[in-house]
Amino acid sequence: VYNNQLIAGGCFITAGGVSANYIASWDGTSWSALGSGMNFIVYALTVYDSQLIAGGFFSTAGGVTTTGIASWDGTSWSNLGSGMSSFVYALTVYDNQLIVGGVFNTAGSVTANRIASWDGTSWSALGSGTNSFVSALTVYNNQLIAGGGFTSAGNKFSAYLAQWTKSCCVGDRGDLNGDDVDANILDLTFLVDFIFRGSGDAGQCPEESDVNGDGDSADILDLTFLVDFIFRGGPPPGPC
């Protein structure tokens, strides 16, 4: 629903006898076209930043060149940056950003494997994305959920369904105690307390406690890595 009208997208070229290329609006009484529409199928619709967003298999919207995604402001169509490298299957809004899923591997000029976010100005990847297409998106329990033909998401095994957890780690890993200071003896003490005394937790951010970057939760390997870094001049914790 956009501007109090029902918006329909699909593979039609007329709606109620009105010429409407792949997208149309219904005001409760009659159908209308949205400009000159698209040149091919519309698969997904949502509203973001007071604009109607359409995703699909099209390469033009209202005569504007844009691959897979376009916005309608009630009068005309516009692209979102330079669009995607391929087509779009799914749209939703999460954390005040437009989330797009499909078969693309770039969004604008950014590498983004099958899933990306748009903040109104620029595109960003969601981690390393998925290894195959994303065909469904929704928000559940304040988490972004993606479904599709993939078997891994973020380089982790996840058959056809995955949950995106927003990064809570800024800069390099290792700030386990949350004091906004790089990994030091206080963070080591925090980790020792967690592993050997069973008190507290491994920190508010799992990425911070994974100091060795192996993708596992805080364990003795992370402790060894931190000891080596602090006392022996070993390699520092890597970036998130």
Side-chain angles (χ1 to χ4, degrees), residues 183-188 225-235:
N184 58 28
I185 191 69
L186 297 178
D187 299 298
L188 178 61
F225 188 97
L226 208 51
V227 166
D228 192 50
F229 165 64
I230 293 173
F231 296 109
R232 298 174 183 163

Side-chain angles (χ1 to χ4, degrees), residues 82-156:
S82 55
M84 328 307 278
S85 61
S86 192
F87 302 117
V88 170
Y89 281 128
L91 300 168
T92 195
V93 176
Y94 170 72
D95 194 32
N96 297 316
Q97 297 194 333
L98 173 67
I99 309 299
V100 182
V103 296
F104 52 85
N105 53 34
T106 63
S109 59
V110 176
T111 298
N113 293 314
R114 272 71 66 172
I115 189 166
S117 65
W118 170 258
D119 64 4
T121 304
S122 60
W123 289 102
S124 298
L126 273 69
S128 57
T130 61
N131 69 339
S132 189
F133 64 87
V134 171
S135 55
L137 293 166
T138 194
V139 177
Y140 173 73
N141 197 27
N142 296 318
Q143 299 289 335
L144 174 65
I145 309 297
F150 53 85
T151 55
S152 73
N155 296 319
K156 298 177 181 178

Side-chain angles (χ1 to χ4, degrees), residues 169-176 181-184 187 206-216 222 225-226 229 236-240:
C169 181
V170 178
D172 292 339
R173 303 169 192 261
D175 179 22
L176 279 74
V181 178
D182 289 342
N184 58 28
D187 299 298
E207 289 177 287
E208 294 283 8
S209 58
D210 179 22
V211 291
N212 66 351
D214 63 1
D216 294 331
D222 296 298
F225 188 97
L226 208 51
F229 165 64
C240 298

Side-chain angles (χ1 to χ4, degrees), residues 38-43 54-61 66-70 87:
M38 280 59 172
N39 67 335
F40 206 39
I41 300 169
V42 172
Y43 268 108
F57 273 24
F58 53 85
S59 57
T60 65
T66 178
T67 302
I69 194 162
F87 302 117

